[in-house]
Amino acid sequence: MNGENLVDTLGLERIEVNLFRGTTADNSPGRIFGGQVIAQSLLAAYETVEDRVCHSLHCYFIRPGDPTVPIVFDVDRSRDGGSFTTRRVVAIQHGQQIFNLAASFMTIEEGFEHEAPMPEGPGPDDLADDAEAQREALKSAPEAVRKEAEKWMSRPRPIEMRSADARSYWMGGPKEPVSQTWFRARQPIGDDPHMHQVVLAYASDMNLLSTGMRPHGVHWNSPGFQSASLDHAMWFHKPTDFNEWHLYAQDSPSASGGRGFIRGSIYRRDGTLVASVAQEGLMRMRKPKA
């Protein structure tokens, strides 16, 4: 299952000039991974754009996605300008919007350059695969936690991830709201630079909320804890090959009002900053029923 190829999984069927249909590979009950809808929406937008590259996207998660039915992506060709192209994509299931995305594309230009340096830390060759580390840690977990964790551990893991403190479902206490994870696509993406952006957008939704949870000593299975991505923004600074290792450095400067805010910077292994991410997510404890 780790061999899932995201180029195939994220592929779309054109059903009209501006309408596309996508499916979910893991169609078990639950909700669709947000990164999948981001990536497929960006891919749908790219199907209506020629000779320009996405430089930013902004989106909202409106309803949970149903993995058992297809998603219809409706692309609005908002503007085709001299330098910039704008698209809006609405993802629909059961006759309702579940997600929308606005993306801007532009011609490639030369210009001023500067970038924040990559933070220091261990490289990917010094770290174990997160999935293997978590499986090993689960051996000493309480039975109830182990059974619940094994459900999602059995799902496809098309993104290889390595971090110094791989998340677990029961261990650790409050930590600083920062994290560093090396990640890359497990299977070849190909030569199309647009597809590397699409797969990077898929992976950009990973670990963000868990970084925001760290100071509060909660995890996905904490009794009464409720979480969900609310919005997501991404800026593509430079083209990259996502079959190679990238560092995803994240920090969460704020949590308030039942929401957590997280920022992410994605670096190539040589230290080049290729993308920036920001997300706000729901993070709250359900009140006990009276």
Side-chain angles (χ1 to χ4, degrees), residues 77-233:
R77 302 183 185 227
S78 306
R79 180 175 184 266
D80 292 292
S83 299
F84 291 89
T85 294
T86 308
R87 294 291 183 263
R88 186 169 183 83
V89 183
V90 177
I92 302 166
Q93 283 186 319
H94 305 295
Q96 296 181 313
Q97 290 189 33
I98 64 167
F99 173 91
N100 62 51
L101 170 146
S104 181
F105 305 77
M106 70 175 298
T107 54
I108 297 175
E109 296 182 10
E110 298 294 327
F112 300 112
E113 289 200 17
H114 71 268
E115 62 185 15
M118 183 171 69
E120 295 183 359
D125 297 335
D126 301 319
L127 300 168
D129 183 277
D130 274 14
E132 295 304 320
Q134 289 170 2
R135 287 190 184 95
E136 185 64 27
L138 279 173
K139 294 178 181 178
S140 60
E143 183 178 0
V145 172
R146 186 168 60 252
K147 287 183 177 180
E148 185 64 28
E150 286 174 349
K151 292 179 183 178
W152 72 265
M153 289 290 290
S154 65
R155 294 180 177 178
R157 300 175 75 89
I159 304 298
E160 184 177 3
M161 307 180 74
R162 299 184 182 184
S163 60
D165 58 346
R167 291 180 294 118
S168 70
Y169 276 78
W170 77 100
M171 296 178 66
K175 300 178 181 179
E176 290 296 313
V178 295
S179 67
Q180 292 185 20
T181 300
W182 289 94
F183 64 164
R184 65 180 178 182
R186 289 187 185 271
Q187 295 296 319
I189 297 172
D191 297 327
D192 183 355
H194 298 170
M195 201 65 202
H196 284 265
Q197 276 194 341
V198 167
V199 178
L200 185 61
Y202 173 97
S204 72
D205 191 34
M206 292 179 164
N207 279 13
L208 289 166
L209 282 178
S210 62
T211 299
M213 297 175 196
R214 291 169 68 94
H216 310 287
V218 294
H219 50 73
W220 305 104
N221 284 350
S222 293
F225 182 66
Q226 184 180 15
S227 66
S229 300
L230 297 175
D231 62 11
H232 191 91

